[in-house]
Amino acid sequence: IAGGFAKITKLAQGAMDLHSSRSQLDFERLAALLKSVGGSPQAVEQARTAYEQLAQRWPGHAEVDAVTTFGLAEVEAANDDIPAAVERLEAYVQRSADRFRQGQALLRLAQIHENHAQPEAAQLIYRRVKDEYADEPELAESAARALD
């Protein structure tokens, strides 16, 4: 079996869809596994905070910004820190110059609202993506499907 570290790790953590927009690494679980096999406290902390370290090493890099933002929002949502995830994604939409990534962030934001019993907020965001991102067919179609 061959593959990148992140995809193999996601597969080991039980993900079947390994695409970066549909599954995320569970860094807490990775850190716990590292600790259980005798990893040093420093290595365990590095595994737990991988996204933050990536952002510190390459500040201002658009792709790194997207990866760290989406990853941290996933961790926050998984830990039921919905206000932090929402704030992080909304801030990303405001600062990003990449329309496609903005739309992805909005779709993820809508999904978070939907998964946490806030269907009205989700519907508003899906409508926004459908209307404002019509020039990005993949995003507009995803939003339209969610509205159906």
Side-chain angles (χ1 to χ4, degrees):
I1 295 177
F5 171 78
K7 291 202 185 306
I8 295 296
T9 303
K10 286 192 263 184
L11 188 61
Q13 291 177 341
M16 292 292 114
D17 186 343
L18 305 178
H19 191 278
S20 62
S21 69
R22 294 184 291 274
S23 65
Q24 301 297 322
L25 286 172
D26 181 343
F27 286 103
E28 288 296 324
R29 191 168 165 196
L30 187 61
L33 177 62
L34 187 56
K35 184 177 181 179
S36 75
V37 296
S40 71
Q42 180 184 7
V44 170
E45 187 58 25
Q46 287 175 335
R48 180 177 287 113
T49 61
Y51 280 123
E52 292 92 337
Q53 291 178 45
L54 187 62
Q56 289 171 2
R57 288 194 177 125
W58 290 292
H61 188 279
E63 191 65 22
V64 171
D65 185 31
V67 169
T68 56
T69 297
F70 283 66
L72 289 169
E74 289 301 321
V75 169
E76 290 161 346
N79 290 321
D80 289 325
D81 190 353
I82 305 312
V86 167
E87 182 179 331
R88 185 177 304 280
L89 290 169
E90 287 176 343
Y92 178 79
V93 170
Q94 295 302 311
R95 75 173 175 269
S96 177
D98 183 330
R99 276 187 51 74
F100 187 78
R101 292 282 190 192
Q102 287 174 338
Q104 285 181 315
L106 287 168
L107 286 174
R108 185 59 193 122
L109 185 58
Q111 291 165 348
I112 288 170
H113 283 302
E114 203 169 46
N115 293 339
H116 291 86
Q118 298 171 339
E120 299 85 13
Q123 294 292 306
L124 288 171
I125 296 168
Y126 285 132
R127 281 191 201 97
R128 176 181 173 190
V129 172
K130 183 181 171 198
D131 295 342
E132 293 180 21
Y133 292 82
D135 59 324
E136 297 285 356
E138 182 181 334
L139 300 175
E141 289 168 13
S142 290
R145 280 193 305 275
L147 288 167
D148 289 340

